[in-house]
Amino acid sequence: MPAATATLGPLCSDGSATYTSPEGYTITGAVNGPIEVQRRDELPEEATIEVNIRPANGVGTTRERHLESLLHSTLRSIILTHTFPRTLIQLTLQIVSTPDKMGYGGSRYLNLSSSLPLLPSLLQTALLTLLSGAIPLRTTYTSTLLAVSPAPSPSEKPTIHTSLITPQCLASATSLHVFTFTPAGDLLLAESEGSFDIETWERVYERAEAVCIGDGEGVAGVAGEGDEKAGANVKGLQGMEIDSEEEEEDEGGVRLLDAGVEEAAPAVSKKETPQNLGGWVKGVVEAKVKEDMRWKNRN
Amino acid sequence: MPREAELSLNEREFILQALRENTRIDGRAFNAFRDIELTFGDDYGQVDLQLGKTRILCNISAEVTTPFPDRKFEGTFMISTEFSPMASPAFEVGRPTTDEVILSRILEKAIRRSSALDTESLCIIAGEKCFSIRADIHILDHDGNLVDAACLALVAALRHFRRPDVSVEGEKVTVYSLREREPVPLAMLHHPLCVTFSYFHGGETVLLDATHSEEQVREAEVTVTMNRYGEVCQIAKYGGASVDALALLDCTGVAHTKVEALDKLIERKLQEDQRNKDLGGLIAELSAENAR
């Protein structure tokens, strides 16, 4: 399975990230903020969040507006908007490329023209962009897409596909589901499409939880740390501190605490291959911090 | 939207004084371009161009539509340059700035009106069906000289793009997917490229490929579009200080050498990309193109 890849800080804006999902969606995100807000959008008690999604070809349609509204409501509950009243946090997500679907019948199947397969990649890019831009967050999150295809025989249960959902898989699926979890295990977003019953949904929910935040076995440490973090709130991101007031020495805003350097280093060696998506996000940010902080570790 | 942060008086003076002493703030020669990085995507017609810190993404797409009733024998070609807040928070969605209007006009004249793309070759059935080619230019990062960068990215993308093959039997048209038949390159008549000259100190200093801060202190700019044979497609000058007519002649000479170098760069990158895609040397067998 091709792994997801991400680069933090490829652009000059306050925060930016490029994310490529295993399915082949490549998205570049940029965030500017907190900046001056226009009078009509100004909120007296919190920061205004603006999300722009731009398709690779053509102009945005209702599909992009719908995705924007989903992202907006998710991010609004994540970003500590109350710390920046009367300002604007402006997030732009540019879809660079999407996997080729024409060879599989194009729009003949409803699922192939659905907006759900794009949603986890957008959410993941948004998170990495916000982390790169040092926007204070309440918590991080991870998001995944699951497809349910009909059972091979009537006696069995429908099959759930979790990783690498190919266009063929999408075309044959009866329902699609997107789940987003915080590291503490709270459900942030659940979007479903197609026909399914509540029993299937519950099975899908459990699988999604395992993909995003681990099944409590090999990755128990992550879940435990997550619990701690939920209490610590702003402190956030497992041994790292997000600090926007600090004058940054370099690009990229996520910064390790002095104590965090020692703490984070063994954590990487402990889990060289991240077992879940949360571990993957952590790995990406740690790699970037390590690169930016190499001047510090030299002596 | 917030206004873009303007250069302070000290910064302006510094840049101008340095230029007077024959030095650019990034240490380049006056007629040197910044490093160009041209990468093609996995799909046809996808280009990521980096000119210094300026970064542009160009995407070409094709679909079958009905031609305009007054141009029955021609396909349609459209260039879309919409700025997003990604490049700078000063760009607002749905409200074009003057930069955006100028960029789209210059590209329109440079590529469309110089008929770089042969739109007649896009016709499938006269008056009924034709290809509609759309070029989307996304500015990811803005550090000056958008015109030259966008034009370079667009020409590279058009040369890289392949449209699906079609066959016509009477009234019946079959469009083959990329898997069924090897797609066809676009018919391009020539490859025009833009070179922008920036003028300082009343025309005494002339710079090529100005950065964003240099653009903010310049007095005038002239964009020359030409192809590698030295045929001038346009000379655009939108206001600013006056420039000596004889100096313009020098400009075309300098532009010619630059365009030749840029054209060679695109050519080299296209060949590299073709070699990477041509695993096992099967592309030549798939092509139905006649030898010329």
Side-chain angles (χ1 to χ4, degrees), chain A residues 10-13 28-30 32 35-36 38 40-41 50 52 54-59 88 90 92-98 100 102-104, chain B residues 1-3 43 46 50 53 55 57 59-61 80 82-89 91-93 95 134 136-138 140-141 177-179:
Chain A
L11 307 179
C12 291
S13 53
T28 299
N32 283 303
I35 53 174
E36 185 189 331
Q38 253 184 4
R40 64 183 150 92
D41 301 325
E50 190 186 296
N52 284 307
R54 298 170 58 85
N57 291 314
V59 285
L88 173 71
Q90 191 178 44
T92 316
L93 296 169
Q94 171 73 55
I95 300 164
V96 176
S97 66
T98 50
D100 170 34
M102 294 315 286
Y104 306 97
Chain B
M1 288 306 105
R3 272 193 10 203
D43 297 340
Q46 208 180 65
Q50 274 173 279
K53 277 185 185 164
R55 189 165 173 187
L57 191 74
N59 248 321
I60 314 275
S61 52
S80 136
E82 210 186 316
F83 286 13
S84 71
M86 186 171 260
S88 153
F91 299 143
E92 197 180 345
V93 179
R95 190 178 294 174
R134 187 190 164 94
D136 285 274
I137 293 171
H138 305 293
L140 300 187
D141 233 339
S177 79
L178 303 190
R179 278 151 209 278

Side-chain angles (χ1 to χ4, degrees), chain B residues 141-163:
Chain B
D141 233 339
H142 177 21
D143 189 28
N145 206 11
L146 287 182
V147 172
D148 298 6
C151 189
L152 187 67
L154 179 57
V155 170
L158 283 172
R159 290 177 70 175
H160 187 247
F161 184 69
R162 303 282 186 272
R163 67 166 170 83

Side-chain angles (χ1 to χ4, degrees), chain B residues 5 51 58 65 107 110 132 138 152 174 177-178 180 209 240 265 282:
Chain B
L51 177 68
C58 186
T65 52
L107 286 182
S132 158
H138 305 293
L152 187 67
T174 321
S177 79
L178 303 190
E180 287 168 316
D209 187 25
L265 175 93
L282 287 171

Side-chain angles (χ1 to χ4, degrees), chain B residues 115-137:
Chain B
S115 57
L117 182 67
D118 178 21
T119 45
E120 282 188 18
S121 69
L122 299 172
C123 177
I124 304 170
I125 299 178
E128 297 216 345
K129 280 189 177 58
C130 70
F131 275 107
S132 158
I133 305 288
R134 187 190 164 94
D136 285 274
I137 293 171

Side-chain angles (χ1 to χ4, degrees), chain B residues 41 53-54 57 72 78 80 106 128 162 166 178-179 183 188-189 221 228 235 242 254 262 267 281:
Chain B
K53 277 185 185 164
T54 296
L57 191 74
K72 290 193 170 98
M78 198 182 136
S80 136
I106 289 184
E128 297 216 345
R162 303 282 186 272
V166 287
L178 303 190
R179 278 151 209 278
M188 290 195 76
L189 302 178
E221 78 266 24
R228 72 184 144 130
I235 295 181
S242 58
V254 176
L262 293 176
E267 188 72 49

Side-chain angles (χ1 to χ4, degrees), chain A residues 146 148 157-158 160 162 175 177 179 181 187 190 192 195-211:
Chain A
L146 297 99
V148 180
K157 285 177 179 171
I160 303 173
T162 51
S175 66
H177 308 263
F179 285 92
F181 290 95
L187 184 62
S192 300
S195 61
F196 53 91
D197 52 18
I198 192 72
E199 189 207 350
T200 316
W201 189 89
E202 273 166 0
R203 278 180 58 221
V204 172
Y205 173 87
E206 276 162 23
R207 287 293 292 277
E209 202 173 11
V211 171

Side-chain angles (χ1 to χ4, degrees), chain A residues 170-191:
Chain A
L170 279 183
S172 64
T174 51
S175 66
L176 298 176
H177 308 263
V178 171
F179 285 92
T180 304
F181 290 95
T182 65
D186 298 326
L187 184 62
L188 264 183
L189 173 129
E191 284 287 317

